[in-house]
């Protein structure tokens, strides 16, 4: 009887100790989880932010054609992109395949980041065989290399976001119309192009340190969202990149192949209205244009020496 009593007491003590350990471990996990969440909340932009999406042109096809080379090439692209995310104080929300979702508190930093990536991509040590693919070929405009390696599509939008902790990834994730619009703007872009919404442009106009003028693209229909006014940033040194109007744009279509051919024949491209003109000087301000925005401006965006 005494032994049974002692055995019962011992079992009770073991049970109490085990239960206390479980409770203690649960408290430690909750504290760690909350500390981690608070730390992420301090790092990740909140409220109104600039969301940037990037994607590699024809990335799926490149994986099918170069399954081994793409592992190294993608690593180079990821390392390069993350370097500039850190440099321009961005927050990497997540990667989806070969795409990035990034947030910035400052729209100027977002555009600076995009410009840096576009420039740096020309000088990356891409696998030689990859550069034989039409999507990665080296292309020159005069004596200047304007394409080489991955052609990264970029789009951004500025606005209010909803945020919450992604327990699986351990990062802050964003939701809402701003995220959806940014993704749609990126989907409009061509490889090597930087597009932005009017909301981003308005923030840049209010920033006294941003002294460039954004080129007007026009109203574009974003799938499932509506019509947004879209602008484009042209990086200094990459003016030779010529893009057709985005899909869904309410502007006249341009045959990009005819445009390039005409330029080779000595014609001149009016960057204000995207017409090919038979002159050596841009006469954009002197000819009548009833089919496109003749008051739109063109700018050359210079990569800054240091971020804000």
């Amino acid at each position: 009887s005494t032994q049974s009593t002692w055995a019962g007491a011992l079992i009770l003590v073991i049970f109490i100790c085990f239960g206390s350990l479980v409770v203690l471990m649960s408290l430690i996990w909750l504290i760690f989880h909350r500390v981690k969440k608070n730390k992420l909340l301090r790092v990740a932009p909140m409220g109104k932010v600039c969301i940037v999406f990037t994607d590699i042109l024809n990335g799926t096809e490149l994986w099918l054609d170069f399954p081994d080379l793409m592992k190294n090439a993608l690593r180079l692209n990821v390392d390069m992109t993350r370097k500039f995310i850190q440099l321009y104080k961005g927050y990497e929300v997540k990667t989806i395949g070969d795409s990035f979702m990034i947030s910035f508190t400052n729209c100027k930093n977002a555009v600076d980041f995009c410009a840096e990536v576009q420039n740096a991509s020309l000088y990356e040590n891409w696998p030689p065989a990859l550069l034989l693919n039409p999507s990665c070929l080296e292309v020159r405009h005069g004596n200047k290399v304007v394409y080489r390696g991955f052609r990264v599509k970029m789009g951004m939008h500025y606005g209010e976001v909803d945020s919450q902790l992604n327990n699986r990834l351990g990062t802050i994730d964003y939701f809402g119309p701003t995220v959806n619009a940014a993704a749609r703007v990126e989907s409009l872009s061509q490889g090597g192009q930087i597009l932005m919404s009017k909301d981003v442009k308005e923030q840049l106009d209010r920033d006294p340190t941003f002294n460039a003028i954004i080129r007007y693209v026009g109203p574009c229909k974003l799938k499932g969202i509506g019509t947004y006014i879209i602008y484009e940033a042209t990086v200094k040194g990459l003016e030779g990149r010529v893009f057709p109007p985005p899909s869904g744009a309410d502007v006249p279509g341009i045959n990009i192949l005819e445009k390039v051919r005409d330029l080779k024949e000595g014609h001149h491209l009016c960057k204000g209205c995207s017409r090919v003109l038979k002159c050596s000087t841009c006469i954009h301000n002197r000819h009548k244009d009833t089919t496109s925005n003749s008051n739109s401006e063109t700018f050359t965006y210079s990569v800054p020496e240091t971020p804000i």
Side-chain angles (χ1 to χ4, degrees), residues 58 61-62 65-66 129-138 151:
N58 296 331
E61 289 80 0
L62 289 171
D65 293 340
F66 307 100
L130 188 70
L131 298 176
L132 300 178
N133 186 278
S135 298
C136 301
L137 280 174
E138 179 177 305
R151 301 185 185 183

Side-chain angles (χ1 to χ4, degrees), residues 19 64 66 78 81 93 123 125 134 142 155 166-167 221 237 252 272 277 308:
L64 292 174
F66 307 100
V78 168
T81 303
V93 182
Y123 307 102
N125 187 28
N166 185 321
N167 292 315
K221 296 176 182 177
L277 306 171
I308 296 175

Side-chain angles (χ1 to χ4, degrees), residues 60-277:
T60 301
E61 289 80 0
L62 289 171
W63 273 106
L64 292 174
D65 293 340
F66 307 100
D68 295 326
L69 291 179
M70 278 294 288
K71 294 178 183 178
N72 179 47
L74 188 61
R75 180 184 58 79
L76 293 173
N77 181 72
V78 168
D79 290 346
M80 174 185 66
T81 303
R82 285 177 173 159
K83 178 178 72 174
F84 292 123
I85 291 174
Q86 182 177 8
L87 181 64
Y88 288 99
K89 301 179 175 63
Y91 180 78
E92 180 183 334
V93 182
K94 57 187 171 184
T95 57
I96 308 168
D98 48 35
S99 304
F100 274 87
M101 177 183 175
I102 312 154
S103 64
F104 295 84
T105 57
N106 184 297
C107 287
K108 180 180 183 296
N109 279 10
V111 179
D112 290 347
F113 157 78
C114 292
E116 287 275 24
V117 171
Q118 296 292 349
N119 262 313
S121 182
L122 300 177
Y123 307 102
E124 192 56 77
N125 187 28
W126 305 114
L130 188 70
L131 298 176
L132 300 178
N133 186 278
S135 298
C136 301
L137 280 174
E138 179 177 305
V139 177
R140 291 178 176 268
H141 180 74
N143 295 324
K144 173 66 178 177
V145 176
V146 293
Y147 290 108
R148 182 180 175 278
F150 286 155
R151 301 185 185 183
V152 182
K153 304 168 57 183
M154 294 179 157
M156 64 187 80
H157 179 59
Y158 176 83
E160 195 82 31
V161 294
D162 296 320
S163 58
Q164 69 179 46
L165 179 66
N166 185 321
N167 292 315
R168 185 177 65 85
L169 297 177
T171 60
I172 295 297
D173 206 348
Y174 299 99
F175 305 91
T178 296
V179 175
N180 298 335
R184 294 290 188 269
V185 173
E186 181 273 315
S187 69
L188 294 176
S189 64
Q190 306 291 316
Q193 187 179 31
I194 305 169
L195 293 181
M196 66 188 71
S197 66
K198 182 180 179 181
D199 300 81
V200 176
K201 169 69 162 55
E202 290 176 345
Q203 291 300 309
L204 295 173
D205 290 341
R206 298 188 184 103
D207 191 334
T209 65
F210 190 85
N211 57 8
I213 301 173
I214 306 300
R215 188 178 76 84
Y216 176 85
V217 174
C220 297
K221 296 176 182 177
L222 305 185
K223 184 177 179 181
I225 298 178
T227 300
Y228 279 57
I229 304 298
I230 302 299
Y231 293 82
E232 178 192 348
T234 303
V235 183
K236 184 178 181 180
L238 302 181
E239 298 88 348
R241 292 183 176 182
V242 181
F243 304 101
S247 173
D250 294 335
V251 294
I254 300 173
N255 188 318
I256 192 68
L257 296 178
E258 290 184 3
K259 178 184 290 187
V260 173
R261 184 182 67 243
D262 285 346
L263 286 175
K264 289 182 178 179
E265 293 172 355
H267 295 193
H268 178 73
L269 175 64
C270 175
K271 297 190 73 176
C273 65
S274 298
R275 281 187 176 182
V276 174
L277 306 171

Side-chain angles (χ1 to χ4, degrees), residues 17-33:
C17 290
F18 179 77
S20 300
L21 182 62
V22 171
V23 171
L24 180 62
M25 293 300 294
S26 299
L27 288 173
I28 292 174
W29 183 87
L30 287 172
I31 293 171
F32 174 79
H33 183 75

